Amino acid sequence: MKIGKTLTAASVLGIALAGIAAPAASAETAAAAPASAQSKHTASIKCSKPSGKKANYSWGDGLTNVTVYFNNHCSHKVSAGIVLKDMDGALSVQCMTTNGGTSGKKKFHIGADHTVARIQKGCKL
């Protein structure tokens, strides 16, 4: 019955238990705050079959690892090149092949000195 005594004591003292929580942010402060420290990037590769469909990719700015999310609307495998750029501007590529009609994610270790510059069709620079 400790809960009952606490609630009774709180009501006698005029303390609202809900008022103990931090107040919600106003619309003005929420709009001023940045949405995220990471930027979201997207890319698409056109399918050869069916016409008009694409394999879609998205990723964020990772520090040493990047997770690439994919949704392959093609009826065939698609090979995508994850193009990495180092601090000196040199490019390298890591390959990711996805089956047609699948979606998922793959984590890439890119190291602290690389960023994902783009995702391109094929695995050659």
Side-chain angles (χ1 to χ4, degrees):
M1 295 314 268
K2 290 183 179 182
I3 295 174
K5 290 180 182 179
T6 303
L7 291 175
T8 304
S11 65
V12 169
L13 295 172
I15 301 171
L17 293 177
I20 295 172
S26 69
E28 290 179 33
T29 56
S36 172
Q38 293 187 347
S39 296
K40 181 184 173 188
H41 308 280
T42 60
S44 294
I45 297 173
K46 291 181 183 179
C47 302
S48 56
K49 290 182 183 179
S51 179
K53 298 289 185 176
K54 298 177 183 179
N56 300 309
Y57 304 90
S58 64
W59 69 97
D61 296 327
L63 295 177
T64 58
N65 295 301
V66 170
T67 301
V68 176
Y69 297 86
F70 65 90
N71 191 356
N72 185 350
H73 296 282
C74 304
S75 60
H76 54 84
K77 288 183 179 182
V78 174
S79 292
I82 314 303
V83 180
L84 305 176
K85 184 176 182 180
D86 71 8
M87 297 172 118
D88 297 326
L91 299 177
S92 61
V93 66
Q94 291 189 21
C95 193
M96 179 170 78
T97 301
T98 59
N99 291 322
T102 61
S103 63
K105 62 184 179 180
K106 180 164 170 70
K107 188 175 184 177
F108 291 90
H109 178 71
I110 61 171
D113 61 338
H114 286 84
T115 59
V116 176
R118 67 181 182 271
I119 295 181
Q120 67 180 20
K121 182 177 182 177
C123 297
K124 294 183 182 180
L125 283 176

